[in-house]
Amino acid sequence: MAKWVYSFGDGRAEGSASDKNLLGGKGANLAEMCNLGLPVPPGFTITTDVCTHYYANGRSYPLELEEQVNAALDEVGRKVGRRFGDPERLLLVSVRSGARASMPGMMDTVLNLGLNDETVEALAAEAKDARFAQDSYRRFIQMYSNVVLGLDHEMFEEILSDEKASRGYDYDTEFTAEDWQEVVALYKQRVDCELGEPFPQDPQAQLWGAIGAVFSSWMNPRAITYRRLHDIPESWGTAVNVQAMVFGNMGETSATGVAFTRNPATGEKELFGEFLVNAQGEDVVAGIRTPQNLTETARRQAGSDKPSLEKLMPEAFAAFAQIAEKLESHYRDMQDLEFTIERGKLWMLQTRSGKRTTKAALKIAVEMANEGLISREEALCRIDPAALDQLLHPTIDPNAERDLVATGLPASPGAATGEIVFTSEEAEEAAARGTKVILVRVETSPEDIHGMHAAEGILTTRGGMTSHAAVVARGMGKPCVSGAGTLRVDYRAGTMTALGRTFSRGEVITIDGSTGQVLAGTVPMLQPALSGDFSTIMEWADNTRRMKVRANAETPADARTARSFGAEGIGLCRTEHMFFDDERILAMREMILADTQEQRRMALSKLLPMQRTDFRELFEIMAGLPVTIRLLDPPLHEFLPRTEQEVAEVAASMGVEPERLRQRTESLHEFNPMLGHRGCRLAVSYPEIAEMQARAIFEAALEAAKKTGAPVVPEIMVPLVGMAAELNFVKGIIDGVAKEVLAESNASIDYLVGTMIELPRAALNAGAIAEGAEFFSFGTNDLTQTTFGISRDDAASFLDEYRRKGIVDQDPFVSIDVDGVGALVRIAAEKGRAAREGLKLGICGEHGGDPSSISFCEEVGLDYVSCSPFRVPIARLAAAQAACRK
Ligand code: PEP
Ligand code: MG
């Protein structure tokens, strides 16, 4: 008979940590904790296979499930000396989801299940605390009605506020047992009135309702969004964990909390967390009461006057600290823990690898490797290369003036500036318009994930370091300030008020997620640098990787940034990008619009000295490192004059009538400029352009070599080659100029001529092309465009739809399409190398900075990847991980 249910408890479990796929992360780790002999309330896990079966069979369960669940529930009862549904020996349970990958806040939880009008009395008698029992019952009704019956949470909060107000209470803690009993009655009435049937009293019906709700929530919109954002396959499914209840709300000797074995924001080796006395789990994350610190050190640092757990419940704290240490060394990773203390007795409810900021991830990886807990290779593989982006964000200049509006918690580091928006929808709309925004909310919920993604930063007025906003922002690498309690948000008025100052929607603020400050206006920022643990990891990565990492850069500023991030040369200098500034674009337009060769040569003679200076500077900054300069590849439409004023300007400079110039502009109009007169085609039509550029490159190389004393070996790259003859034609021009320059200067100069491979024809004929090329650089932007036949400038409008409908998993312009574009890269690499031994191979499309594409490049055996300067550290790490995997 198939096994659908796995039990755990009393120091034994049917599963273990290795059963994550079957039991989900939470279930597998609960089993593992039991196996380690830790205090875990007994329970059982309904497997992810049941979820798969549920969706494959019209939302129905396997036949044997009910029997297996009942047997497991009986076993739980035996372990704790109770029986589910029996008021004499009351057993209450929690029902929680637990997918394979943790999906915080995505799925739903029901606590105190099994309570009804009769058992609540039994609970009161047993606990000798009627208030506690009634409070637990109202919580259960509230949670169950929301999660299982689909009623709005606010509906119950409203009743609660009304009851509080009518009694003149400020806090929930002022409610008496009788008050709660009245609230329970009102809740039940409301359910009856909304649904036309009473709140379910039968514990069995409650249990199956909750199990069904967990499985259904796998397909709720926020879970679907989360999976899409994190590439979690729908087929994985979720498990359901049913566990005997322990109560953190059984009076002043009970508590509940969450903790990390190291600080998730900084990585510091210290127990870090929060707890609430006399509370249930949801209270800590909901941010309604401000939680207390776990340790005395943390309490002192936070300047809190509320006692720490260490002080308040020293025995339970000591037991917990010991367990935390044990779990960290067992899992060999920083753990995120949940616990409850019921009348002084500690219970562990969860352990999992903790989410952390990238800064913390680096520190933890480096320290764990140094502690000998993990190897250096493991340390490298523990860091998500894409997440390094977080550290490459600006921080507020320490010398900047700060117009402080409020201070909250430093929930996720980095600083961000943007216009205030109050809803996730506004954030998305603004981001789509290219406007940078800060999402300001009282608190965030899973429905806000898309808005948080779109915003530069997140600011909340409620919630602690483990609130939804804080956890999710840290995961996303977005700056976040949470719990800025002196701020008042009025959604209806569209305002945020602090200490008498009012800020409206659209006004600019800056948040500093590293200090928790909220500042008015824009504030000067500092650019990031690699140091400390970051540079240690980079050093380890450099010792591990095989591929070189270069940068795509053309300005001196970009080249310097690239070097400071560890680039080992320039893999692509797009020369057309060097002509965008006002003075230059005029000369460039003259060149493009010239009617005659003479006119063109005149414009080119203006461009020559500019180019020479540009190249010399690049060679000097990159002293001793390779620099690949690509000949002009302008989609012409990007350079043509558009406005009347622009036309007039160019006409005046060329000494021609504006009308003639307009005609010439029109004659240059192309229906499809991306597939038009660009790349090497321009050099074929106008060899004088390539001549000018080659001359500027050689002269600059000689000047730079003289200045730095180091030889410069320029790599000249011909774009958009489809046929060997095109390359050979342009190469002829370059070689001719080289001879001229050498004759003039009497100096010898080495150089390479190579080509971009960015058309399918070039890839398929790479053997013939390699005869004339000393290197290939895969231009996978154009290669993706031309392989798919999808315009790279127009793809966004429909590719998103393709992703949503599951037609493509990844945007092929972001992550290389291994089956199509990748196949062409493989063919070209093989044919090229067969024709020319030692042919140098690189990639310079956007994919050169994308970790999964970099992994593909390692497989194919490319010599280097080239990416934008800010992605260089990401590429260094991704290349190291790819080498480890190989
Ligand atoms: C490419 O096509 O991949 C490339 C690097 O060139 P560009 O993006 O300039 O067309
Ligand atoms: Mg290209």
Side-chain angles (χ1 to χ4, degrees):
M1 187 162 79
K3 185 168 175 59
W4 306 104
V5 173
Y6 285 69
S7 292
F8 56 83
D10 275 355
R12 269 182 301 118
E14 292 180 313
S16 74
S18 56
D19 296 317
K20 267 206 178 96
N21 296 356
L22 186 65
L23 303 181
K26 191 187 277 278
N29 287 333
L30 282 169
E32 187 78 1
M33 283 199 289
C34 281
N35 291 332
L36 290 172
L38 302 183
V40 174
F44 57 89
T45 304
I46 304 174
T47 68
T48 55
D49 285 349
V50 176
C51 190
T52 310
H53 180 286
Y54 181 76
Y55 284 106
N57 295 277
R59 301 199 175 213
S60 69
Y61 299 121
L63 283 179
E64 311 88 349
L65 185 68
E66 191 176 338
E67 195 183 316
Q68 292 186 17
V69 164
N70 286 337
L73 202 52
D74 284 347
E75 198 185 320
V76 173
R78 266 195 304 280
K79 284 173 182 151
V80 294
R82 297 170 178 279
R83 255 179 81 82
F84 188 62
D86 179 353
E88 301 297 306
R89 294 180 297 146
L90 186 61
L91 170 63
L92 300 180
V93 295
S94 66
V95 179
R96 290 186 172 91
S97 64
R100 228 194 266 190
S102 90
M103 292 171 58
M106 289 293 118
M107 308 294 281
D108 303 303
T109 296
V110 181
L111 301 179
N112 311 336
L113 190 139
L115 279 177
N116 57 28
D117 294 349
E118 189 185 358
T119 54
V120 70
E121 299 300 338
L123 182 64
E126 190 187 326
K128 299 192 181 60
D129 188 342
R131 187 190 175 283
F132 150 74
Q134 294 293 344
D135 179 25
S136 300
Y137 190 22
R138 71 91 196 171
R139 284 168 186 271
F140 169 55
I141 298 175
Q142 201 165 335
M143 244 184 281
Y144 192 93
S145 301
N146 178 236
V147 173
V148 182
L149 306 178
L151 297 180
D152 193 0
H153 182 70
E154 292 301 319
M155 201 177 276
F156 299 95
E157 287 296 322
E158 261 165 34
I159 296 177
L160 198 56
S161 316
D162 289 350
E163 291 307 297
K164 222 188 285 187
S166 73
R167 289 170 170 81
Y169 295 162
D170 288 325
Y171 301 102
D172 291 4
T173 43
E174 291 170 75
F175 277 89
T176 63
E178 291 69 35
D179 293 332
W180 280 131
Q181 201 168 3
E182 282 170 34
V183 172
V184 164
L186 290 170
Y187 276 8
K188 284 194 303 182
Q189 252 173 35
R190 189 65 195 256
V191 172
D192 204 339
C193 165
E194 290 291 328
L195 300 177
E197 50 186 273
F199 184 81
Q201 291 286 314
D202 173 16
Q204 278 291 338
Q206 292 173 354
L207 178 66
W208 286 99
I211 292 171
V214 172
F215 286 135
S216 310
S217 71
W218 180 248
M219 287 297 182
N220 77 26
R222 49 187 221 221
I224 291 171
T225 305
Y226 189 92
R227 283 201 292 276
R228 185 161 52 81
L229 291 172
H230 293 83
D231 293 326
I232 297 173
E234 200 171 284
S235 59
W236 282 5
T238 181
V240 182
N241 298 291
V242 179
Q243 225 176 340
M245 274 304 299
V246 287
F247 295 95
N249 57 337
M250 245 189 210
E252 294 303 309
T253 55
S254 299
T256 189
V258 293
F260 293 87
T261 56
R262 301 193 185 206
N263 186 315
T266 64
E268 219 61 59
K269 194 172 178 179
E270 63 190 8
L271 194 55
F272 175 94
E274 299 169 328
F275 76 103
L276 282 173
V277 176
N278 197 7
Q280 276 201 318
E282 306 315 295
D283 300 340
V284 183
V285 275
I288 294 160
R289 278 162 64 189
T290 302
Q292 293 161 242
N293 301 102
L294 281 188
T295 63
E296 266 304 278
T297 321
R299 184 196 64 78
R300 271 195 302 273
Q301 272 167 9
S304 163
D305 55 5
K306 289 196 188 159
S308 65
L309 186 71
E310 191 174 1
K311 192 72 181 268
L312 203 62
M313 303 182 188
E315 276 171 33
F317 173 80
F320 179 69
Q322 206 180 12
I323 287 174
E325 221 178 285
K326 184 168 182 172
L327 284 171
E328 184 181 281
S329 52
H330 179 72
Y331 283 96
R332 298 160 66 250
D333 196 9
M334 184 262 259
Q335 296 295 296
D336 169 356
L337 309 168
E338 283 181 18
F339 65 93
T340 282
I341 297 168
E342 184 186 277
R343 293 192 165 157
K345 159 108 178 97
L346 172 72
W347 293 98
M348 295 302 298
L349 300 184
Q350 173 171 293
T351 188
R352 63 180 175 199
S353 272
K355 290 205 182 298
R356 60 205 80 179
T357 62
T358 306
K359 187 173 163 205
L362 290 168
K363 185 170 212 62
I364 291 169
V366 168
E367 290 189 353
M368 285 190 170
N370 290 340
E371 286 162 24
L373 202 57
I374 57 176
S375 69
R376 281 190 179 181
E377 273 199 5
E378 277 179 293
L380 286 176
C381 293
R382 290 260 173 109
I383 292 156
D384 171 12
L388 292 179
D389 196 34
Q390 279 185 34
L391 298 184
L392 304 168
H393 283 309
T395 47
I396 291 182
D397 182 344
N399 298 319
E401 272 194 27
R402 294 177 180 231
D403 178 3
L404 190 65
V405 175
T407 306
L409 299 170
S412 179
T417 298
E419 294 181 6
I420 296 174
V421 295
F422 292 107
T423 66
S424 288
E425 289 65 40
E426 284 173 75
E428 267 202 324
E429 283 161 23
R433 287 195 307 271
T435 305
K436 298 191 157 148
V437 297
I438 305 290
L439 177 62
V440 182
R441 303 279 304 159
V442 172
E443 57 193 331
T444 62
S445 72
E447 277 88 7
D448 289 314
I449 290 193
H450 61 116
M452 295 173 76
H453 250 276
E456 297 294 304
I458 297 114
L459 168 61
T460 69
T461 60
R462 260 200 333 221
M465 291 292 282
T466 46
S467 64
H468 178 267
V471 171
V472 174
R474 279 202 293 274
M476 287 179 183
K478 299 259 170 181
C480 173
V481 171
S482 67
T486 55
L487 285 178
R488 288 279 161 275
V489 167
D490 184 338
Y491 289 131
R492 219 167 298 158
T495 58
M496 171 183 106
T497 313
L499 306 172
R501 296 169 76 179
T502 299
F503 295 81
S504 302
R505 169 181 288 119
E507 277 188 68
V508 174
I509 55 167
T510 296
I511 59 165
D512 184 349
S514 311
T515 62
Q517 290 185 336
V518 182
L519 308 164
T522 308
V523 184
M525 306 248 185
L526 286 188
Q527 293 311 315
L530 305 192
S531 58
D533 302 313
F534 197 168
S535 66
T536 306
I537 285 286
M538 284 293 113
E539 195 188 308
W540 294 354
D542 292 347
N543 292 335
T544 308
R545 68 189 158 90
R546 181 192 61 80
M547 286 189 294
K548 296 271 186 206
V549 176
R550 299 194 193 181
N552 296 353
E554 40 277 335
T555 66
D558 282 356
R560 282 196 197 95
T561 307
R563 271 213 84 162
S564 74
F565 286 155
E568 296 162 296
I570 289 180
L572 172 63
C573 163
R574 291 177 163 106
T575 52
E576 63 282 1
H577 284 192
M578 299 168 122
F579 297 105
F580 278 126
D581 79 36
D582 285 351
E583 185 200 347
R584 294 173 169 215
I585 199 156
L586 192 63
M588 181 74 170
R589 283 180 177 147
E590 284 178 43
M591 194 268 295
I592 291 171
L593 293 166
D595 257 339
T596 62
Q597 200 193 71
E598 200 183 328
Q599 264 181 353
R600 191 166 310 105
R601 283 198 186 275
M602 200 134 79
L604 285 167
S605 69
K606 291 185 199 167
L607 294 173
L608 174 69
M610 300 176 188
Q611 285 266 269
R612 192 168 46 221
T613 315
D614 292 337
F615 297 149
R616 200 196 60 226
E617 257 183 296
L618 286 185
F619 291 140
E620 283 172 15
I621 294 168
M622 286 291 152
L625 299 173
V627 175
T628 307
I629 295 173
R630 181 176 74 185
L631 298 185
L632 209 56
D633 179 18
L636 285 184
H637 65 295
E638 285 181 18
F639 288 91
L640 293 176
R642 263 173 276 230
T643 62
E644 286 297 312
Q645 196 195 341
E646 284 172 357
V647 173
E649 228 175 26
V650 184
S653 177
M654 291 173 76
V656 298
E657 284 301 307
E659 188 45 38
R660 274 222 43 209
L661 201 71
R662 217 169 284 121
Q663 283 167 10
R664 171 85 179 134
T665 306
E666 264 163 36
S667 76
L668 285 177
H669 171 81
E670 291 180 312
F671 286 106
N672 203 338
M674 268 298 189
L675 298 177
H677 200 187
R678 62 180 277 230
C680 65
R681 297 159 201 168
L682 213 58
V684 170
S685 308
Y686 311 122
E688 54 278 15
I689 300 177
E691 277 170 28
M692 180 280 283
Q693 290 201 299
R695 176 170 284 275
I697 294 169
F698 292 132
E699 290 179 354
L702 290 174
E703 283 177 20
K706 200 184 277 172
K707 190 157 168 206
T708 61
V712 176
V713 184
E715 300 181 355
I716 303 177
M717 183 152 76
V718 183
L720 221 71
V721 163
M723 301 167 254
E726 286 174 316
L727 172 67
N728 296 340
F729 179 88
V730 183
K731 184 168 160 37
I733 300 171
I734 297 167
D735 290 342
V737 175
K739 281 207 190 88
E740 276 172 33
V741 175
L742 297 197
E744 290 160 19
S745 63
N746 217 1
S748 78
I749 182 163
D750 283 338
Y751 63 96
L752 303 178
V753 176
T755 181
M756 306 271 297
I757 300 288
E758 45 190 346
L759 297 173
R761 190 180 194 285
L764 297 171
N765 291 279
I769 291 174
E771 283 171 25
E774 291 165 286
F775 64 89
F776 282 174
S777 181
F778 290 97
T780 43
N781 302 334
D782 276 311
L783 191 58
T784 301
Q785 166 170 263
T786 50
T787 300
F788 277 89
I790 292 178
S791 154
R792 55 196 265 197
D793 295 329
D794 304 307
S797 64
F798 53 90
L799 271 185
D800 217 37
E801 194 72 32
Y802 270 47
R803 280 196 62 177
R804 268 200 301 275
K805 297 197 166 143
I807 294 173
V808 295
D809 289 338
Q810 289 278 359
D811 179 341
F813 288 99
V814 174
S815 232
I816 201 160
D817 155 49
V818 172
D819 297 340
V821 177
L824 285 169
V825 170
R826 267 185 215 280
I827 291 171
E830 275 164 25
K831 291 196 171 192
R833 283 194 164 141
R836 181 190 285 262
E837 207 181 320
L839 177 75
K840 192 150 55 160
L841 298 176
I843 182 172
C844 64
E846 281 309 295
H847 305 89
D850 167 65
S852 70
S853 311
I854 290 171
S855 171
F856 170 78
C857 294
E858 173 68 38
E859 258 179 58
V860 179
L862 299 194
D863 297 301
Y864 68 87
V865 299
S866 188
C867 56
S868 73
F870 276 89
R871 297 199 76 86
V872 166
I874 296 170
R876 286 162 73 191
L877 178 58
Q881 292 182 347
C884 288
R885 275 194 290 271
K886 222 177 171 188

